[in-house]
Each structure stands twice: as structure tokens, then as C-alpha cells.
Amino acid sequence: MATSATTDNVLATAKPHSLLADYATLFKVRISTMVIITAGAGFYLGCLRSGISPFQIDGLKALVAIAIVTCGSSALNQALERKSDALMNRTFDRPMAAGRISLSHGLILGFAATFLGSAYLAFTTNLLTGTLTLLTAVGYVAIYTPLKRVTTINTFIGAFPGALPPLIGWTAARGRIEWPGVALFAILFVWQFPHFMAIGWMYREDYARAGIRLTTNLPNIQYAAQSTVIQALFYAALMIPVSLWPAALHSTGYVYAIVATILGLGYLWYTIRFARITRDPASDASLLVARNLLRFSVIYLPLLLAAMMLDAKGRLLF
């Protein structure tokens, strides 16, 4: 499952070098948790639309399988990036970059988790969900990951697999792609850009050292700052109408619409403050506003999904 342009181990602190701890890093447990949350939200909303209980063992099994595929794609990603990871301060201690887990070990775990998890979903949930999950992993590992060293467009490309988990959760419940599920995809797609621009700015030197091409680490730092801000502001402004799409589709009520508007304005406000990086791109102050935007983005998404689920229209059966 994709982790693409979202929190890709933003803070890589040294961890005890036990096999269990290394597996937690290899599988990017924090990101896998976020995937489960977003996929779970899609499943919950899809169940309410169908008038069935979201609290069922089959739903739990589907989410576990989605998490397994996410872990597998994370392992494959680190297998491909083990050399560049070794060059960055935030990732040099990852188990494959540091040599504590071998390439063959990581590849076997990655391929097994990715394909077995996808096959399980296809046979026990529905073919569409299994196929989407596998395509998401392939898009993240085979397309987005190599593009990171080729073009700055990788951020846009990576946002597609990164936004699919809630749609996958929806199809797990409904068995088909529908507009409310597409709206969930759109929300996560747009949310990623201010979020990742903040990460990219904070770690632009690290990314440049590893040869990863981003807007934030373009050679001309002033131009990089301006381009970064323009993209972040565009998507932060777009986030407001996109986040209201579920209300327009009558998947939620007016309470969600109010909360989404307030949260969207907050996201835009922190992005406007982020624009201060254009004043003095090399200063510590630019890192501070980037970190503040990152923190709000991490808070924003769970709050938005919680409001959506609490105000969702449909029959809630326990």
C-alpha cells in the first residue's frame, strides 16, 4: 500500500537494534497505522451507505490484509532505496540501509506480504478491492519510488497511490467504485501536497544529498521556496471545496460541513504562514513554519475523518 507523498518516516530516530524493532521500521508502522485509519473510515462510511454494521469480523480481516500489503510495499520501497537511505540523516539507521536486514530478507518479506495480502482480499472480500490494493502497491514501489530520482513530478504521481486507501476501504464494503468513495480519494489526494511540501522543505538538504528530486531542493533556493509555496497554497485552498464534497453528495450532514470548513480554513492559514519561507529561505524561521504546517496537517486529517464518520448519513447497526 502506498505511503508516497505522505509522512514517510518524518522523524527517524535511533531505535534499539532488535529484530522486532527493525521490522517495525521496515514496515513503517506509523504509516501503516495511518493507512488503516483512512481505509477504516472508507469501510465505515461504505457500510453505513449499505445499511450494514461496520463492526464485523470480515471488515477487520480486510483491514488487516490492507495493513499487510502496506507493510510489504514499505519493505520493497526500502529495498529499492537502501543506498539513498544510507545517505540521509533521517533514514541512515533503517535496517536495510544499515545492513542489519539483508536485501534477500527484505525482498522475500515484501513480495510475500504484498501479493499474499492482495490475493487474500481478492478472494475473501472482492476482486475489485484486491486489485486496487495490488495496483496501489505497484504504483508506489514500481512507479513512484524510481521516479524520485528522475523528476520532481514524482510528488504528484505518488499522491495517487497515497490517496487510494479510503477508496479501497469503500470498495471493501460496497464492492464497487462510487462517487462518495471517489470524494474520499480526492480529499486524501489534495491533503498530501501542503503536508509533503512542509516535509520536503524541512529535509530538503537530506533529500538533495540522496539524489531525490523535489521542488523544495531545486538548485536556486529562492525559486524553490516560491514554487513550493505556490503548490502548497493552491492545494490548501482547494482542500476546502474538496473536503465539502461528501456533504454535497449527502454522505454527511451540515455539522460535518461546518467542521470541514473550519479545519480547511485552519489548514489554509498555516499554509499562508508557511509562505514566509520565501522571505529568507535559508533561515531557521523557515524551518519553524514548515514544522508548524506539518503538525497541523497531521492533526487535520484524523479530525476531518472523525467528523465525517460521526456525521455520516446511513443506518448504524451494531
Side-chain angles (χ1 to χ4, degrees), residues 91-105:
T91 56
F92 75 93
D93 199 43
R94 284 177 175 174
M96 294 192 71
R100 295 190 303 276
I101 289 181
S102 68
L103 176 61
S104 58
H105 186 167

Side-chain angles (χ1 to χ4, degrees), residues 197 215-216 218 221-232 278:
M197 290 301 161
T215 301
T216 56
L218 291 171
I221 190 171
Q222 188 64 48
Y223 177 76
Q226 292 172 352
S227 298
T228 298
V229 165
I230 289 171
Q231 292 183 56
T278 59

